[in-house]
Amino acid sequence: MKFSSRAERIEPFYVMEVAKAAQAMAREVAGTREPMIFLNIGEPDFTAPPLVQEAAARAVRDGATQYTNALGLEPLRERISAWYAQRFGVNVPARRIVVTAGASAALQLACLALIESGDEILMPDPSYPCNRHFVSAADGKAVLVPTTAAERYQLSAEKVRAAWTDKTRGVLLASPSNPTGTSIAPDELRRIHDVVRAHDGITLIDEIYLGLSYEEEFGHTALAIDENIVSINSFSKYFNMTGWRLGWMVVPEAMVPVVERLAQNLFICASTVSQHAALACFEAESIAEYERRRAEFKARRDFFIPALQSMGLSVPVMPDGAFYAWADCSEAAGRLGVSGSWDFAFEVMKRAHVAVTPGRDFGTAETERFVRFSTANSMAQLEESVARLRRLLG
């Protein structure tokens, strides 16, 4: 069978390949004194809070399961709009909000709406691998621009200006970022957008971890800068609804009918039950629970990253959001007699029964030196992981 060149361009998602190996090993060590601890997948250990679960059950019980408008339930779009006003002090009209089948669908719709064949999109290296594959699936080309710890592993206006060519269509950023958990300072983001706008380009920004910001300096939406910025968001991370496959995008008003037409044909609509459930995310009781959980994620960060540093697993930049630690494992790998983050990850999995993600997925800018730890796990599990790593690394 012959497959399309488009499909052949999509590399394996190595995060999931490592996860499969970890699951296989977990079955072998289940019931032992050291069962597998999973610090590899970026998925909150919390589930949807009670009001959200009840709203989902009520939708099923009441038969509210038919297709919705391709743009999403109007009451949900209105509540998302109100959340931007309350949380970020930004006016985002509901008519510019499109509810999608997860942030993945939003990114696909944005890329299909804006990218022509051969267009190049600038992205930081390291960055989330699927984002570059969305660009590739739209017959564009992701151009990874190496970043440094001094730049918080984010693009700068200077680097965007230097990398821009006649083929460049725009930038795809993430703030906070996966795998580093770092954000772009608002002033720098404004400068980046000024460069993009001067070239009549597009600024796409993944803000799915924005709700999990821990520092006032960084917890601001890019939508405060310009209504022509396209922002992608999700109910997966802050709202703890990963498997519900629900997200949204905020687009310029002129882009709404284009995205609607694409969504009608590609997805029809996002899950109706998930949309009805998500209405309850914005109730005061739910928000209070989400804020309690955000504080817990911050407490985990504040415990875990100093512990890594003390073992020689250097985290060059303290993450200001999300739930990741981007750690240089070079020294630690040497102590285990292996080279590079891929071998280090499998050695830790085998000898300490702790699953982590090697840097291979996230780019080529020294990513072979780094592993990503996910702190989306209980404090007890993080403490046990630290104890095992200390015994292993000495």
Side-chain angles (χ1 to χ4, degrees):
M1 183 178 292
K2 182 180 179 181
F3 299 104
S4 70
S5 58
R6 181 185 302 105
E8 296 299 334
R9 286 197 301 269
I10 305 299
E11 301 170 36
F13 192 7
Y14 292 107
V15 168
M16 303 313 294
E17 295 300 311
V18 173
K20 287 193 291 186
Q23 289 286 357
M25 190 170 295
R27 289 191 289 272
E28 296 177 10
V29 300
T32 69
R33 293 179 59 187
E34 289 195 348
M36 188 68 69
I37 296 176
F38 296 92
L39 304 184
N40 54 323
I41 301 296
E43 180 172 41
D45 56 319
F46 301 114
T47 59
L51 289 184
V52 177
Q53 296 180 37
E54 291 164 12
R58 186 164 56 250
V60 173
R61 187 173 61 247
D62 294 347
T65 57
Q66 288 82 12
Y67 295 136
T68 70
N69 185 292
L71 298 176
L73 287 173
E74 188 62 31
L76 181 56
R77 297 166 74 199
E78 292 285 355
R79 291 206 180 183
I80 294 170
S81 173
W83 188 66
Y84 276 109
Q86 294 160 6
R87 182 68 176 261
F88 304 108
V90 176
N91 178 30
V92 179
R95 64 180 180 273
R96 291 177 48 212
I97 296 170
V98 181
V99 178
T100 60
S104 296
L107 280 159
Q108 183 180 5
L109 289 167
C111 290
L112 291 174
L114 296 168
I115 296 173
E116 296 280 8
S117 179
D119 282 349
E120 295 184 350
I121 302 294
L122 305 179
M123 299 171 60
D125 187 349
S127 59
Y128 182 57
C130 296
N131 286 0
R132 65 179 183 264
H133 296 321
F134 287 121
V135 172
S136 181
D139 289 330
K141 179 182 179 183
V143 176
L144 297 182
V145 179
T147 61
T148 66
E151 298 164 320
R152 303 181 57 76
Y153 297 113
Q154 294 282 1
L155 291 184
S156 64
E158 181 182 350
K159 283 195 169 177
V160 170
R161 188 180 292 110
W164 201 282
T165 72
D166 291 342
K167 293 182 179 180
T168 306
R169 179 71 175 103
V171 297
L172 174 49
L173 313 169
S175 185
S177 167
N178 177 4
T180 65
T182 61
S183 299
I184 309 171
D187 288 347
E188 189 63 34
L189 181 56
R190 187 179 296 275
R191 286 189 285 270
I192 290 171
H193 183 59
D194 285 345
V195 173
V196 173
R197 189 169 49 185
H199 288 90
D200 196 27
I202 55 173
T203 299
L204 289 165
I205 184 160
D206 170 347
E207 295 190 312
I208 70 173
Y209 294 100
L210 184 61
L212 291 175
S213 289
Y214 311 124
E215 315 296 340
E216 172 58 29
E217 178 184 357
F218 298 107
H220 307 279
T221 175
L223 296 169
I225 296 173
D226 185 356
E227 66 179 18
N228 289 311
I229 289 175
V230 175
S231 171
I232 307 298
N233 218 310
S234 174
F235 285 92
S236 289
K237 309 303 181 179
Y238 175 74
F239 295 102
N240 308 153
M241 294 174 68
T242 51
W244 301 66
R245 306 316 304 134
L246 194 66
W248 76 86
M249 59 197 302
V250 180
V251 302
E253 199 158 343
M255 190 173 161
V256 173
V258 178
V259 170
E260 181 178 23
R261 187 169 68 247
L262 288 167
Q264 286 169 337
N265 283 278
L266 295 177
F267 301 103
I268 301 180
C269 67
S271 163
T272 301
V273 172
S274 295
Q275 290 189 65
H276 282 288
L279 289 167
C281 289
F282 303 99
E283 297 293 336
E285 179 182 325
S286 297
I287 292 294
E289 177 61 16
Y290 289 132
E291 286 300 289
R292 185 194 68 76
R293 294 175 181 185
R294 182 167 71 105
E296 175 64 18
F297 279 127
K298 182 178 183 295
R300 294 172 184 180
R301 178 200 70 169
D302 293 345
F303 159 75
F304 193 70
I305 290 181
L308 290 181
Q309 305 270 33
S310 72
M311 291 183 278
L313 287 159
S314 171
V315 180
V317 186
M318 175 66 101
D320 56 83
F323 34 62
Y324 300 116
W326 185 240
D328 187 337
C329 66
S330 303
E331 179 190 336
R335 277 185 266 161
L336 296 184
V338 298
S339 176
S341 63
W342 184 265
D343 290 342
F344 175 80
F346 277 89
E347 199 71 7
V348 167
M349 189 191 307
K350 181 176 65 176
R351 294 170 60 180
H353 301 165
V354 175
V356 301
T357 298
R360 182 175 182 175
D361 262 326
F362 302 103
T364 59
E366 297 189 322
T367 51
E368 75 282 354
R369 292 172 44 199
F370 285 84
V371 289
R372 187 197 71 179
F373 291 86
S374 168
T375 54
N377 211 325
S378 70
M379 186 67 84
Q381 291 275 276
L382 294 175
E383 289 170 346
E384 174 61 18
S385 298
V386 166
R388 293 185 194 181
L389 290 170
R390 285 195 198 284
R391 288 196 295 270
L392 178 64
L393 297 174

